[in-house]
Amino acid sequence: MDRQSLADWVHHLGDRDLPLLQGTAAILSIVDANPQMSMRAVGRLVQRDPGLALKLIRVANGVPHRHFRTEVVALDEAVMMIGTDGLKRAIQELEKLPDVLSTNAQSYYRYLAGRVAYAATLAEAWAENRHDMIPSEVGLAALLYDLGELVWTIHDERRMARYMELVRDGQVLPHEAEYVALDVSLETVGHALAERWQLPAMVRECMCPANARHARAMGVMLASNLARDAMAAWDHPGVGGNLDQAARYLDCSSEELADYINGATEHFNAHVDLYGLDPVPLLDEERVKAYREKGARPPEPVFCLMPRSDRYEQARSQLASHSLENRDQVLDVLLEGLHEGLGLNRVVFARLSDIGDTLSAERMEGTDHEPAFNRFELNLAGGHLIAVMMKRPSAFWLNPSNCDEVWPRVPHSMRTLIGVREFFAHSVFVGDQPYGLVYADRRSEVCALDRRALKGFKTLVELATAHLESLRQAGRGRL
């Protein structure tokens, strides 16, 4: 998704609110009937409706104030800032869902609203369990994590209907459904809107996949994944891997994990009618154990991403022109060209640490819903394949013809992380100094890499490297 297209979409969508769910107005009667209700409790009522929550946090952060930190980061703070009168005004100002969308699109929006509300409940509960300083900040980040999806549902009913058909049963990953049904990155649009609206920092940070290395963001991403599983009655193909990651994240047993999840489920089910959804089934310890033992076994891909010659040529031309202003733009164009132009499902730029011992993911494409993969990090000790590659600029294609020989030389942590035995890798040097690594695969070996893709991969990486070197020589910004 190029910069101009993104700017156009943000301009088009930037003044829109999310609609109010039917039934949300009843919140007022609850608050009016309980004048002693705590702000935390009122915030949790607001959290049931992402449209109202978004409105309140934007209004609260637009109010000049002296008694709060520089930004309002949670819904209880927002309610405290604007008061119950402000809450009433927000409810009155928002358009109602039936006035905005057709009947079918309303069902999609209610499903999404329920899913993000469940994720928020789960993430906030986990944050409390981890003794987080501001659990409600984590809850808000989870509620708005899929902002792009929510906004796009009210923008384009037809294409979102196709997208929802693809993702509801879990056979197609969301970013792959975007690729064929929407031709936009919902995560990118959501993040750009969050920046435009100056939503709290944690909301924005959680929308960047590489931030999975931070524990709070990881919790939000895992909660979002499990919310998708919950809405499918725990019948998604990837549920075992998500539950196992959650247990590792919380450092808990299957029994404890079931208790944590069921607490959130019971809280959500008490208000499930707001979304027109069936109650989410509870999980017992044995079911969690069984899912975890199956592990992460994604389904065979329904389709492989097709290369797009126009997107590839656009990226190639931009990189060759040396007209990009800074290294962030260079890396963005590179990764978008590899993902959208060559149809490579997962693309990573991993930056070399200052002391030269570790590669850590800094930018990613096509990995929005894979928080474990997004913690891509490689230690260069031990003389393995990647360590050798970082000694000089070089490209490598792991494929069936060399896998038996080379696979043992791939670092163990990388073998566990990527889950495939076919990938491209290219070490990046700026001048004569190692700078990072570009990694790409097609997520499944069913969608095989080929020599044409390798040629395009090498071309774009080498052009990007030359562009970075020209920026370095011109002294234009940090590298």
Side-chain angles (χ1 to χ4, degrees), residues 177-194:
E178 293 170 11
Y179 195 92
V180 298
L182 302 179
D183 197 26
V184 298
S185 166
L186 295 177
E187 182 274 326
T188 301
V189 170
H191 184 261
L193 288 171

Side-chain angles (χ1 to χ4, degrees), residues 109-135:
Y109 185 85
R110 287 196 302 269
Y111 161 81
L112 290 173
R115 196 187 74 204
V116 299
Y118 184 94
T121 301
L122 193 59
E124 188 167 332
W126 288 354
E128 290 175 342
N129 174 262
R130 291 170 58 89
H131 307 291
D132 191 277
M133 292 288 289
I134 314 175

Side-chain angles (χ1 to χ4, degrees), residues 4 30 42 61 67 123 200 247 279 291-292 303 336 350 400 410 422 465:
Q4 187 57 54
I30 298 174
V42 177
N61 274 315
H67 303 298
Y291 279 138
R292 291 183 67 190
F303 52 79
E336 288 166 8
V410 176
E422 189 165 6
T465 299

Side-chain angles (χ1 to χ4, degrees), residues 9 24 31 68 107 123 129 150-151 179 191 230 236 258 265 331 353 369 385 390 405 423 458 460 477:
W9 281 122
T24 294
V31 176
F68 281 80
S107 69
N129 174 262
L150 289 162
V151 171
Y179 195 92
H191 184 261
H236 267 176
T265 299
L331 293 174
S353 64
H369 303 282
L385 172 68
M390 291 308 299
E405 177 186 355
F423 61 77
K458 291 172 65 176
L460 291 187

Side-chain angles (χ1 to χ4, degrees), residues 253-430:
S253 66
S254 293
E255 180 181 11
E256 291 169 325
L257 180 61
D259 288 343
Y260 294 146
I261 291 174
N262 289 338
T265 299
E266 289 170 348
H267 180 87
F268 175 80
N269 284 344
H271 312 290
V272 72
D273 290 345
L274 182 63
Y275 314 105
L277 299 172
D278 293 330
V280 174
L282 299 179
L283 286 171
D284 59 41
E285 177 188 0
E286 294 307 313
R287 194 174 180 191
V288 172
K289 280 184 178 178
Y291 279 138
R292 291 183 67 190
E293 287 171 1
K294 289 181 181 178
R297 296 182 181 178
E300 292 296 313
V302 177
F303 52 79
C304 302
L305 302 188
M306 293 295 293
R308 294 171 174 169
S309 58
D310 58 332
R311 296 291 180 86
Y312 171 79
E313 182 55 35
Q314 181 183 42
R316 191 202 65 75
S317 177
Q318 286 182 289
L319 293 171
S321 70
H322 288 206
S323 61
L324 300 172
E325 297 177 0
N326 54 56
R327 72 123 204 177
D328 291 338
Q329 291 183 10
V330 172
L331 293 174
D332 286 344
V333 170
L334 169 62
L335 267 62
E336 288 166 8
L338 295 174
H339 177 60
E340 298 178 7
L342 294 177
L344 300 172
N345 295 61
R346 299 189 298 193
V347 184
V348 179
F349 171 71
R351 176 76 179 269
L352 185 66
S353 64
D354 290 341
I355 61 174
D357 65 340
T358 306
L359 289 164
S360 300
E362 185 178 276
R363 272 177 163 68
M364 300 176 142
E365 286 287 338
T367 69
D368 301 351
H369 303 282
E370 297 181 78
F373 183 88
N374 291 340
R375 303 186 103 175
F376 190 106
E377 184 173 277
L378 298 173
N379 189 299
L380 296 180
H384 51 67
L385 172 68
I386 305 301
V388 172
M389 289 185 65
M390 291 308 299
K391 294 183 183 300
R392 62 184 183 279
S394 56
F396 184 78
W397 173 20
L398 182 72
N399 61 72
S401 70
N402 61 21
C403 187
D404 288 345
E405 177 186 355
V406 178
W407 185 247
R409 297 176 56 199
V410 176
H412 180 267
S413 62
M414 184 174 177
R415 293 189 307 229
T416 303
L417 182 71
I418 63 178
V420 291
R421 294 191 174 209
E422 189 165 6
F423 61 77
F424 295 149
H426 202 308
S427 54
V428 175
F429 278 58
V430 178

Side-chain angles (χ1 to χ4, degrees), residues 225-265:
N225 272 10
L226 279 172
R228 292 175 185 272
D229 298 330
M231 295 302 103
W234 306 109
D235 197 32
H236 267 176
V239 63
N242 290 331
L243 288 170
D244 193 56
Q245 288 173 33
R248 293 174 186 276
Y249 173 74
L250 294 168
D251 191 22
C252 69
S253 66
S254 293
E255 180 181 11
E256 291 169 325
L257 180 61
D259 288 343
Y260 294 146
I261 291 174
N262 289 338
T265 299

Side-chain angles (χ1 to χ4, degrees), residues 9-263:
W9 281 122
V10 171
H11 176 75
H12 179 69
L13 301 171
D15 295 328
R16 303 197 68 171
D17 286 318
L18 297 176
L20 194 74
L21 295 170
Q22 290 173 286
T24 294
I27 288 176
L28 284 180
S29 61
I30 298 174
V31 176
D32 288 342
N34 297 274
Q36 303 305 314
M37 182 178 288
S38 69
M39 291 298 100
R40 182 73 179 276
V42 177
R44 283 180 165 171
L45 291 177
V46 172
Q47 190 169 271
R48 297 178 194 168
D49 188 326
L52 180 57
L54 178 63
K55 179 76 170 180
L56 256 61
I57 205 71
R58 290 178 64 188
V59 169
N61 274 315
V63 175
H65 51 82
R66 295 178 299 168
H67 303 298
F68 281 80
R69 58 178 67 84
T70 54
E71 67 174 359
V72 176
V73 302
L75 291 173
D76 48 354
E77 291 183 356
V79 175
M80 191 181 303
M81 171 64 65
I82 67 175
T84 54
D85 287 342
L87 174 58
K88 292 177 184 178
R89 282 195 300 273
I91 290 176
Q92 292 166 357
E93 290 171 2
L94 287 174
E95 292 183 284
K96 309 303 183 286
L97 183 61
D99 299 332
V100 175
L101 296 176
S102 68
T103 301
N104 284 340
Q106 286 179 53
S107 69
Y108 296 142
Y109 185 85
R110 287 196 302 269
Y111 161 81
L112 290 173
R115 196 187 74 204
V116 299
Y118 184 94
T121 301
L122 193 59
E124 188 167 332
W126 288 354
E128 290 175 342
N129 174 262
R130 291 170 58 89
H131 307 291
D132 191 277
M133 292 288 289
I134 314 175
S136 52
E137 179 183 22
V138 178
L140 179 65
L143 185 73
L144 299 180
Y145 179 71
D146 290 314
L147 179 62
E149 208 169 349
L150 289 162
V151 171
W152 208 265
T153 301
I154 64 172
H155 161 71
D156 191 329
E157 294 185 21
R158 180 184 60 82
R159 288 198 290 171
M160 277 304 291
R162 173 58 176 152
Y163 169 85
M164 295 299 292
E165 288 173 5
L166 290 171
V167 301
R168 284 286 284 267
D169 65 0
Q171 298 299 315
V172 178
L173 291 170
H175 28 60
E176 294 170 354
E178 293 170 11
Y179 195 92
V180 298
L182 302 179
D183 197 26
V184 298
S185 166
L186 295 177
E187 182 274 326
T188 301
V189 170
H191 184 261
L193 288 171
E195 292 282 356
R196 176 186 173 112
W197 294 332
Q198 284 299 288
L199 297 184
M202 188 174 178
V203 172
R204 290 175 275 150
E205 290 164 3
C206 288
M207 293 176 178
C208 298
N211 284 330
R213 63 183 180 273
H214 302 304
R216 297 178 91 209
M218 180 67 170
V220 167
M221 296 173 187
L222 283 174
S224 178
N225 272 10
L226 279 172
R228 292 175 185 272
D229 298 330
M231 295 302 103
W234 306 109
D235 197 32
H236 267 176
V239 63
N242 290 331
L243 288 170
D244 193 56
Q245 288 173 33
R248 293 174 186 276
Y249 173 74
L250 294 168
D251 191 22
C252 69
S253 66
S254 293
E255 180 181 11
E256 291 169 325
L257 180 61
D259 288 343
Y260 294 146
I261 291 174
N262 289 338

